[in-house]
């Protein structure tokens, strides 16, 4: 695919540096703007596969504006001094990723490539009529899981960054099918899959592995973060009542294994 990228940056040296980093991993056409009104004007005239915002007092304001204009536009937010709080805010506002320029520009390259790879897959799977989508939950299936694992292993080898695999199993799910029937079991799997998506970034991926088993790929990710995500999932799932609108109130728990 021929990608188009819009870069919002005021520093000429940074523009040259980021452009060089992008060209090393994926061929793309890059437009650069340094003013808010120019960015908005460009967004109104052209479709971009990715918008890269260099964080400034306008960074989060522009992120919100872009997502209102086109919720499907991918946004990567860069920061000179990234914090956990800012990262959480960026992801909640719809950014694909939030990267510190000061840590390692290879991390920027990794994030940049992953976002456009995902963009290419989204285009591809529309053409293939959802060949990579699980028909029960609407999540990715094992065909796409194999592709993602191969990709993340290659990227991990290249950039020396770790990624995490969470294997998620619904406990005693057979009892739900035995008590309420397979139709209710299918509805529960659908709702559980949608609920799991709340705990990962847009750049991460959730898969239905088969039966009542799910897999999450978190990349890049360290062990501490993976354990934290797994803990939040297990705690939250226990607290929710599934299928309330359908006339049921089903308690469920999940067990999660982690590989790095």
């Amino acid at each position: 695919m021929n990608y188009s990228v819009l870069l919002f940056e005021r520093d000429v040296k940074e523009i040259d540096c980021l452009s060089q980093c992008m060209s090393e991993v994926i061929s793309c056409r890059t437009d650069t703007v340094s003013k808010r009104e120019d960015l908005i004007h460009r967004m109104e005239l052209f479709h971009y596969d990715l918008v890269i915002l260099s964080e400034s007092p306008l960074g989060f304001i522009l992120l919100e504006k872009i997502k209102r204009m086109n919720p499907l536009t991918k946004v990567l937010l860069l920061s000179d001094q990234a914090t956990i709080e800012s990262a959480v805010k960026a992801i909640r506002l719809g950014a694909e990723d939030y990267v510190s320029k000061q840590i390692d520009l290879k991390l920027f390259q990794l994030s940049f490539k992953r976002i456009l790879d995902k963009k290419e897959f989204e285009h591809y799977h529309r053409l293939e009529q959802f060949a990579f989508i699980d028909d029960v939950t609407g999540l990715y299936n094992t065909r796409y899981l194999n592709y993602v694992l191969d990709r993340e292993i290659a990227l991990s080898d290249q950039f020396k960054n770790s990624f995490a695999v969470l294997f998620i199993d619904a406990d005693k799910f057979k009892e739900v099918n035995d008590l309420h029937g397979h139709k209710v079991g299918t509805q529960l799997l659908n709702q559980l899959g949608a609920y799991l998506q709340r705990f990962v970034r847009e750049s991460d991926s959730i898969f239905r592995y088969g039966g009542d088993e799910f897999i999450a790929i978190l990349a890049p990710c360290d062990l501490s973060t993976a354990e934290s995500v797994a803990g939040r999932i297990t705690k939250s799932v226990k607290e929710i009542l599934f299928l309330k609108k359908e006339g049921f109130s089903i308690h469920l728990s999940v067990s999660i294994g982690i590989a790095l």
Side-chain angles (χ1 to χ4, degrees):
M1 292 179 65
N2 294 318
Y3 296 108
S4 58
V5 177
L6 181 60
L7 172 61
F8 178 78
E9 174 63 67
R10 292 188 171 92
D11 189 320
V12 175
K13 292 183 179 180
E14 288 285 358
I15 291 172
D16 292 340
C17 179
L18 294 173
S19 297
Q20 176 65 29
C21 287
M22 289 186 284
S23 67
E24 289 176 0
V25 290
I26 289 182
S27 176
C28 61
R29 178 180 65 84
T30 303
D31 294 332
T32 304
V33 293
S34 59
K35 296 180 180 179
R36 177 184 184 276
E37 54 269 24
D38 292 338
L39 182 142
I40 301 303
H41 181 63
R42 284 274 181 178
M43 289 284 299
E44 291 172 341
L45 292 178
F46 305 104
H47 167 75
Y48 289 94
D49 296 300
L50 174 64
V51 177
I52 301 174
L53 300 176
S54 187
E55 188 186 354
S56 67
L58 284 175
F60 290 108
I61 296 174
L62 289 175
L63 172 57
E64 289 184 281
K65 177 69 174 178
I66 290 168
K67 284 299 180 178
R68 284 198 298 269
M69 293 177 68
N70 186 350
L72 298 180
T73 298
K74 308 295 184 184
V75 180
L76 171 59
L77 196 61
L78 303 179
S79 173
D80 290 321
Q81 295 180 330
T83 65
I84 294 176
E85 292 76 12
S86 295
V88 170
K89 181 178 180 181
I91 299 304
R92 284 179 175 173
L93 289 176
E96 288 286 315
D97 207 349
Y98 180 84
V99 177
S100 170
K101 291 185 288 186
Q102 299 299 319
I103 296 176
D104 189 348
L105 282 173
K106 286 187 176 181
L107 189 59
F108 163 72
Q109 287 181 311
L110 178 62
S111 179
F112 171 74
K113 187 176 188 305
R114 180 176 292 112
I115 291 170
L116 291 185
D117 277 348
K118 187 176 180 180
K119 184 81 175 179
E120 181 174 4
F121 168 73
E122 289 171 351
H123 173 74
Y124 177 72
H125 92 256
R126 284 196 296 270
L127 297 179
E128 291 294 308
Q129 297 181 340
F130 304 100
F132 296 114
I133 300 298
D134 173 60
D135 56 1
V136 172
T137 62
L139 300 175
Y140 295 128
N141 60 23
T142 52
R143 292 191 189 95
Y144 187 48
L145 171 64
N146 293 331
Y147 164 75
V148 170
L149 284 173
D150 288 342
R151 181 191 69 190
E152 294 303 336
I153 290 170
L155 288 173
S156 181
D157 287 342
Q158 180 179 355
F159 294 103
K160 309 305 178 187
N161 290 306
S162 60
F163 70 96
V165 179
L166 271 58
F167 196 96
I168 306 165
D169 182 56
D171 299 327
K172 300 179 181 179
F173 185 78
K174 184 177 181 299
E175 295 180 4
V176 176
N177 283 332
D178 291 343
L179 183 61
H180 300 290
H182 288 279
K183 182 178 179 180
V184 173
T186 298
Q187 291 176 311
L188 179 57
L189 286 175
N190 186 291
Q191 192 171 113
L192 175 59
Y195 192 67
L196 293 175
Q197 287 183 302
R198 301 181 185 183
F199 295 91
V200 300
R201 301 163 295 186
E202 287 191 24
S203 56
D204 300 325
S205 302
I206 294 278
F207 309 82
R208 184 185 179 210
Y209 186 69
D212 57 2
E213 299 165 336
F214 299 83
I215 284 180
I217 305 292
L218 313 180
C221 185
D222 57 26
L223 182 59
S224 176
T225 301
E227 289 175 337
S228 177
V229 172
R232 290 199 302 270
I233 291 174
T234 54
K235 182 176 184 295
S236 183
V237 168
K238 283 183 180 180
E239 295 173 349
I240 191 173
L241 290 175
F242 289 90
L243 300 182
K244 289 184 66 177
K245 292 183 179 180
E246 290 77 7
F248 303 92
S249 294
I250 299 176
H251 284 283
L252 191 66
S253 64
V254 295
S255 300
I256 302 179
I258 301 172
L260 199 68

